[in-house]
Amino acid sequence: MSQHRHLSHLQPTVPERPSLDGLENKWDQAWSEQGTYAFAAGTPRGQVFSIDTPPPTVSGSLHVGHVFSYTHTDIVARFWRMRGKAVFYPMGWDDNGLPTERRVQNYYGVRCDPARPYDPDFTPPFEGGAGKSKNAADQVPISRRNFVELCQKLSSEDEKQFEASWRHLGLSVDWSNTYQTIDRHARATSQLAFLRNLARGEAYQQLAPTLWDVTFRTAVAQAELKDVVRKGAYHKIGFKLLEAADADRSPALPTSDGRVYIETTRPELLPACVALVAHPDDDRYKALFGRQVEVPLFGTAVPVVPHRLAEPDKGSGIAMICTFGDVTDVIWWRELHLPTRAILGWDGRILPEPPLGIDRPEAKAAYGELAGLTVFSAQKRIVEMLRGSGDLVGEPQPVEHPVKFFEKGDKPLEIIPTRQWYLSNGGTNAELRQELLERGDELKWYPDFMRVRYQNWVEGLTSDWLISRQRFFGVPFPVWYPVDQFGHPVYDRPIVPSEDRLPVDPATDTPDGYQLDQRGKPGGFIGDPDVMDTWATSSLTPQIACHWRDNPALFASTFPMDLRPQAQDIIRTWLFATVVRADLEQHSLPFYNAAISGFILDPDRKKMSKSQGNVVTPMGLLEEYGSDAVRYWAASARLGTDAAFEPSQMKVGRRLAIKLLNASKFALSFLEQAAPGRTPADRNESALDPAAPVSRGEMALDPAVVTEPLDRSMLTALREVVQTATDALVSYDHTRALEVTETFFWTFCDDYIELVKSRAHGAGGAAAAASAQTALGLALSVLLRLFAPFQPFATEEVWSWWHQAGESIHRQAWPGPDELSLGLTAQASPAILTVAGGVLGALRKAKSEAKVSMRTEITSATVGVPAELSAAAVAAKGDIMAAGRTAELTLAASATDAIELVSAVLAEQS
RNA sequence: GGGCCGUUGGCGCAGGGGUAGCGCGCUUCCUUGACACGGAAGAGGGCACAAGUUCAAAUCUUGUACGGCCCACCA
């Protein structure tokens, strides 16, 4: 960092015609070569600013929303770097999980079949999705290892493209510090955290009803659900009331025909029915509690039971409980201790064999009609059967109702009993839940109202976190199970590896104490076949990036991280899960601040997303407008606020970047003029001392030279801007910082530069000229640094014109409060600049109304100025007259509180 | 059903007790030696609606409407 009271610079080398073209590649390369954004390892925690960068899903393409939110983070990173922090700014790639699997299937025309052996010479049938077929059967089955290799291959190609785009955008990421959520280190970290959870009892296995996606054939977690409104129909079905053991006990049965009528949207689950349920206070059905009814077609006898969750005003007020139609069924089943009659398989089809309770031949025959069918077909078939048997009353009544889907799936979820791994997240433990709520309070949220989304979510948790997935491209569970003498795995005695063996793949690695050939044999072992949910790994991004596992010194200097930037829609997943993991392992927050960005809306105010088909690819934008311009658009939107996709804002940003180049060129031309071909060797000498020796040394801009009131006024106003912008950035309000800087900058260009132009050229003598020239240089230096986080390319370009090669603006000190303090006696009211601009505006108005050029001379003019501002106006009168080309200017008392043109006599035009 | 944001000139946004502000767009003018990828000067709204608090309300309170989102419900 260099001193800025005295600006160091070389003889300016300003291009004849400055341009934004090519700046991105030029500076990206320079920053890369010079290590401008490298993290200084060994920096104590207090001087580090660490960022938990969201690892983008590389299987998707980069879109404008990414550019938007990552720019916000980069502004913060650049600000703190200039404030003297060692910024720890890694980049991760989320390549682990389903999206990559799907992309690989389409891209290479393959599918994973874990039963196949590894083929080291395997070549995919095609690349690039050229032979893409909708039919999964056309995909070539390959081994899990081949499949994972293809996932890694494609991911790393995608990652290169992402990095290129990010670099083009100017993210000041330390590109020597990247990770993949599937790489060796991430796998080891994820497995280590899991083993610790297991040892502490926070991770556990359970055979239980599980939300199940039949397309992907995997369990999914509560956090990955979405509601989809679907068409369905209420089917009214009669259940025959069976004779009561004590027949005269029930005087007022609700049925005159000996039947109980329920309404269901899922008649195909009839064979899975285990009870009917009504509200305990429902007088219509009270008398039935404890009685048995017979399930139509299948002849199963099931009880009628009371439960508070049954809603009297829904349907007929009495519902059938199936194992399992929805999550309420699971609650009823669990709380009422009902039997299980599962009829759905992992593939979403009706199981071939009927469940217990269906034993009569005609019941078995009825079941046989459904066996093997999909849910959809089974429903059609059973409706025909019920109609035939007379158990269906009337026609099904169409309804639209919300159904739970996996957020990435396109078929409704089913609930299937399976063995799965769970991790405590407060869903079943009030004490932990309270602790996690307190973590949410402890965290600083930007904007603060995002906090309630976290609270809502934590308060609404109904189960622990299901972390196992029956997929292939993910981090495997680092466990094996002993196989007993009968060949059955012993699930409650998992075998774990020692921590130094991580990462392991239990599908190919052998547990300690066993031989390779004992796999799957009685008395041997078997590996857990599942992988972890992608969030189970990405919830550890702070531990991965900061190297909790293998670099305690780095971890100590970067964790808990300073900032977690992320999107609002993954508070319940990524943010919450990260808090859970750090709470369990480190007993702390994983980060102190969360910056939540909004969505990008297209011009029709809809959320931009791939499925909407309205996504604009960012690279085209970056090339068309320039990265600084696109960043400007992003920076104009506040955290947590949805923003419209606005090319017009990008044009404004581009105009600003060009203006920065041109205004700087102009200001620097005076510095050159001030000391042509020479610079003082002694920093304490005046920059303008013509006797100073010529050298390639440094030239000082001495604030003491700034003597003119207008110049001092401008610098005083700028000082306030510095204060405001700094305060705003400290509180993550980049919009405000940009706004005040930009507003000042336009005044600086339109008014100040115009006002001092002729004086800076020497019209008022050497001292007055030096004052203007030095003020221009000082202001330029400060303004460039204020803009640097927002427009890194244009500012770096300008900086390079007058500073030593390699002396990046992005490593300079952020303007401080002292830098522009000109000494108490040299302060001047910022009002001078304002008034001078106002009076100049009045003179311009005279010309504009006369429809003449601004060059036109004014013979004489009178401008009214409010009394309290008249002294300020007088102080800048000479500059105003010069800028307005006015020979005779009278400053009169204004009748109003505004500056107003009273009269003007224009010279004849030639 | 519970909750969180928002509603300010044609569009995008800022302001947040004293009587509206920025950018784009629009109109008119200006090819001035930093910039035509420019510059200057203008026109245009009374801040969704209603009631209240106050000397004074875009600004505070309450309610309503509309838009967006989160959570819950899912027979």
Side-chain angles (χ1 to χ4, degrees), chain A residues 67 75-76 95 154 157 194 230 286 344 448 462 478 552 560 636 645 685 687 739 772 793 799 815 831 908:
Chain A
V67 166
I75 290 165
V76 174
D95 37 22
L154 188 57
E157 284 169 18
F194 171 81
R230 290 201 116 204
K286 266 183 177 170
L344 273 178
D448 190 65
T462 57
S636 308
F645 173 69
E685 275 185 281
E739 185 192 357
F793 294 103
W799 200 257
E908 288 296 317

Side-chain angles (χ1 to χ4, degrees), chain A residues 498-553:
Chain A
S498 58
E499 291 184 354
D500 59 0
R501 280 193 66 185
L502 301 177
V504 298
D505 182 356
T508 52
D509 296 331
T510 303
D512 291 339
Y514 288 86
Q515 300 299 316
L516 180 62
D517 60 6
Q518 287 182 283
R519 179 178 292 275
K521 303 272 173 60
F525 69 93
I526 192 168
D528 189 306
D530 290 350
V531 297
M532 293 186 213
D533 171 26
T534 190
W535 296 114
T537 299
S538 53
S539 59
L540 294 163
T541 50
Q543 290 85 348
I544 294 169
C546 303
H547 285 258
W548 161 60
R549 180 184 136 261
D550 57 355
N551 191 340

Side-chain angles (χ1 to χ4, degrees), chain A residues 77 243 348 654:
Chain A
E243 285 305 311
R654 183 172 176 84

Side-chain angles (χ1 to χ4, degrees), chain A residues 558-580:
Chain A
T558 51
F559 183 96
M561 302 185 86
D562 289 278
L563 178 64
R564 155 63 70 87
Q566 69 160 72
Q568 54 180 311
D569 55 338
I570 52 175
I571 291 174
R572 65 174 180 171
T573 48
W574 193 36
L575 194 146
F576 172 62
T578 314
V579 171
V580 169

Side-chain angles (χ1 to χ4, degrees), chain A residues 318-367:
Chain A
I318 185 164
M320 72 169 179
I321 303 175
C322 302
T323 53
F324 298 93
D326 61 40
V327 288
T328 318
D329 279 344
V330 177
I331 297 170
W332 283 327
W333 169 81
R334 186 174 289 142
E335 295 190 4
L336 300 170
H337 304 100
L338 297 166
T340 307
R341 287 198 184 102
I343 62 163
L344 273 178
W346 288 17
D347 54 2
R349 291 175 183 270
I350 308 293
L351 290 170
E353 293 302 320
L356 286 177
I358 296 179
D359 4 79
R360 286 191 239 153
E362 65 272 24
K364 283 189 168 173
Y367 187 88

Side-chain angles (χ1 to χ4, degrees), chain A residues 839-901:
Chain A
V839 176
L840 180 59
L843 298 175
R844 285 166 174 164
K845 185 174 181 174
K847 298 177 190 180
S848 190
E849 284 176 350
K851 302 194 173 188
V852 296
S853 160
M854 290 295 143
R855 291 179 82 180
T856 308
E857 300 281 342
I858 296 179
T859 311
S860 70
T862 303
V863 176
V865 175
E868 69 273 17
L869 295 176
S870 85
V874 170
K877 190 172 173 187
D879 288 333
I880 296 168
M881 289 170 72
R885 293 170 185 265
T886 302
E888 195 182 316
L889 176 63
T890 307
L891 297 169
S894 173
T896 66
D897 58 357
I899 295 168
E900 56 191 2
L901 178 68

